Amino acid sequence: MEPVYILGVGMHPFGRYPDKLISDMVEDAVTDALKDAGLAWQDIELAYAANGQPGQHGQRFLRGLGLSGVPIINVENACAGGSSAFFSACMAVGAGAADVALAVGYEQMARGMIGANMARPMTHESVNGLFAMPGMFGMVARNLMHEHGVTARDLALVSVKNHHNGVFNPRAQYRMETPVEDVLASRMIADPLTLLMCAPTTDGAAAVVVGSRRAAARYANGVYIRLVAAAQRSEPYAGTEVSRPDIRTMTMQASRAAYEQGGLGPEDLDLVELHDCFAPAEISHYENLGLCAVGDGAKLVREGATNIEGRIPVNPSGGLLSKGHPISATGAAQICELTWQLRGEAGQRQVAGRSGQGPTIGLAHNPGGITASLSFAHVNVHILKREDALA
Amino acid sequence: MEPVYILGVGMHPFGRYPDKLISDMVEDAVTDALKDAGLAWQDIELAYAANGQPGQHGQRFLRGLGLSGVPIINVENACAGGSSAFFSACMAVGAGAADVALAVGYEQMARGMIGANMARPMTHESVNGLFAMPGMFGMVARNLMHEHGVTARDLALVSVKNHHNGVFNPRAQYRMETPVEDVLASRMIADPLTLLMCAPTTDGAAAVVVGSRRAAARYANGVYIRLVAAAQRSEPYAGTEVSRPDIRTMTMQASRAAYEQGGLGPEDLDLVELHDCFAPAEISHYENLGLCAVGDGAKLVREGATNIEGRIPVNPSGGLLSKGHPISATGAAQICELTWQLRGEAGQRQVAGRSGQGPTIGLAHNPGGITASLSFAHVNVHILKREDALA
């Protein structure tokens, strides 16, 4: 593959904007990413746009940027939409078909979501109550409790950490400390998950401009953020006998493939942005991504190992729990955060890296779908690396 | 870019199957493509699935093929969905991220379509009656009549030709001759377009397996079908002052870019599968693709130049008018037809090629979207070449 670089990133702050036009959020995010890259809209040779709603196509929401004829392909992969668009844009650059490509994800949930749920088949899980995500992740939490002695307090500690990080992120939906007692005392959603252990309903947009070596040579200024691994899996039932709901296998397989591609391991990571749609997911994914042994996930958060100043910072952006989770924007926003962190531009939430001289390698983990219905499950794992010279 | 080859193609016959499961059609098409490639489902390293309906994800409809963990990314690009999935799969192979990838498009229109129209913005065109495609292409026809002396009979001749070709295609929805008088006498839909000048409502699925040089070396048997150009445009208003509705500019720009990529011109083509959603579109696209000068489109069909045995056969498959037009499947089905033709496997509808020794170069043209609303317009142009040795 031709080397692929992140040339620019941009985000519309995540939050609830029911009265705002999606196009305004999309334009803001893309304009920021273009400005960051030192490029104009007409420099984009191909765009992938991710959204989870019928008819919300990039061709509609990007045209305010100029009638430039930029080709746009729409991607829909539920919560993994943003990273699927990012992957696809990277492939066009990696194949040499484009020097500069764009990935943008956007969602306006405050006006309600239709689509995936509407068309979902009635499986025996869904007719018996596993209709919504909180129920499924409540089961994940119960499984962690049963298998590994995880407590409700451990789950709460994930929320405490990520909300703390969000305080330092001007683009986060929530910027408030949530003491562990508040998390535990918040409204019960799906036992043992309380409200503050669940990602909120969010509107927002995130954009990433990627480019070839040639484009990076022209626009980057001495710091090059390169894609060193891109791996993905769909369907959680390959080669496993783990019983449902299984959010583990896909992430394990995809991250192992990504480590192999990058010629590195979890011990080389300086930071991780992972998909903490619910607090137990973060604990499980510590294990699935190999940040610790299976069963030791809760220990990491108890010991502060995944704090901004910890051994392996996870979700310094605030994660989905605090930054918010506008479905198809989330995966692109993770790439934004890794880029800011790897460049040393993350302000008060900047991680120091294993060397103490700033982070060099970051991993983004973005799954999507409804695993219990056996349908529509996909995970993308990307690894970015800061380099001081072009590859 | 690493060379990309078509390893296998498959189609579920197009038609009306309101009582059939989409998954059955998808599985048939993919199984045929895999069999054609000599591969198994678990050999697929990445799949792009195109569909125009909310929630109709590949993860749902491909799982009957086996729980193999194949990563699936869903693409939605209206009538251009199938070719957008094909393009994206080719890019993953071209970048070296996958040795073998799948593109599949499918649609079940007989049960009704929602999505693009539902979410379409209310522009002044749509509130004044330009709500549906027939109205827009009626205007295209009127424009051709006004500017270039095209007649209703010329439009009818396109339908006559494509229905004639469809007679020889066992996968076509309609396999009946339509004499020019019948086309002209059929029910008026959007003056001057009669029913038989409009593509029908269709269900179906089409699949293409693409692979690297390494994969082609292993599985192909002496005939190699290689992608030599892939170009696309969105938005019809770049660099043009042509008034609306404009279906010309995007196709002109994308095909010129494709010819440049492939180092060839329209005079090198042995056959074309183009997007004849309505009869006047075919006449216009003759010109837009450079098969003749602007204004001479009708002459081609009058003279039989685009017949199967003509100078430049267009839509030997029967095209959208006769083969049918299941939105997101169409672009993938065009690649199937080019592949069969380039291999010399097209039976009674086989084109001879300029040399008389079988065709070598074919072009597929697949646009999508609602140009008059200024939204959601995209066109893909792909050029395939038959080679006797690996590149």
Side-chain angles (χ1 to χ4, degrees), chain A residues 28-220:
Chain A
D28 280 5
V30 175
T31 301
D32 280 2
L34 289 168
K35 196 177 160 188
D36 189 36
L39 291 167
W41 171 237
Q42 55 265 32
D43 295 321
I44 301 294
E45 295 167 35
L46 176 65
Y48 278 87
N51 183 269
Q53 292 294 284
Q56 308 286 53
H57 303 108
Q59 284 88 345
R60 283 176 63 192
F61 299 127
L62 289 163
R63 72 176 193 244
L65 294 164
L67 304 175
S68 58
V70 173
I72 300 167
I73 295 176
N74 297 284
V75 163
E76 210 279 75
N77 237 10
C79 301
S83 56
S84 294
F86 172 70
F87 170 79
S88 301
C90 288
M91 289 305 102
V93 171
D99 255 349
V100 178
L102 171 77
V104 57
Y106 47 92
E107 211 82 62
Q108 191 168 37
M109 298 174 71
R111 287 192 177 175
M113 290 281 290
I114 56 169
N117 279 327
M118 188 177 73
R120 218 154 55 84
M122 294 298 278
T123 61
H124 67 274
E125 292 94 339
S126 61
V127 297
N128 284 295
L130 261 188
F131 182 75
M133 286 294 182
M136 290 180 46
F137 281 90
M139 285 179 68
V140 170
R142 283 285 165 207
N143 184 266
L144 288 170
M145 290 169 149
H146 179 73
E147 298 279 344
H148 304 303
V150 172
T151 66
R153 188 181 172 84
D154 294 332
L155 301 175
L157 287 175
V158 172
S159 300
V160 171
K161 170 181 76 72
N162 288 353
H163 281 97
H164 173 76
N165 295 352
V167 170
F168 307 117
N169 186 350
R171 298 178 185 85
Q173 179 168 6
Y174 294 118
R175 304 189 62 189
M176 56 176 192
E177 302 285 357
T178 54
V180 67
E181 296 73 23
D182 290 9
V183 176
L184 289 168
S186 64
R187 182 156 57 91
M188 185 60 71
I189 300 296
D191 195 3
L193 303 184
T194 65
L195 183 68
L196 291 174
M197 297 177 193
C198 307
T201 297
T202 311
D203 308 321
V208 184
V209 178
V210 296
S212 65
R213 192 182 187 286
R214 182 165 48 173
R218 183 164 165 205
Y219 301 108

Side-chain angles (χ1 to χ4, degrees), chain A residues 48 57 72 74 76-77 88 234, chain B residues 48 57 72 74 76 88 234:
Chain A
Y48 278 87
H57 303 108
I72 300 167
N74 297 284
E76 210 279 75
N77 237 10
S88 301
S234 287
Chain B
Y48 279 87
H57 303 109
I72 300 167
N74 297 285
E76 209 279 73
S88 301
S234 287

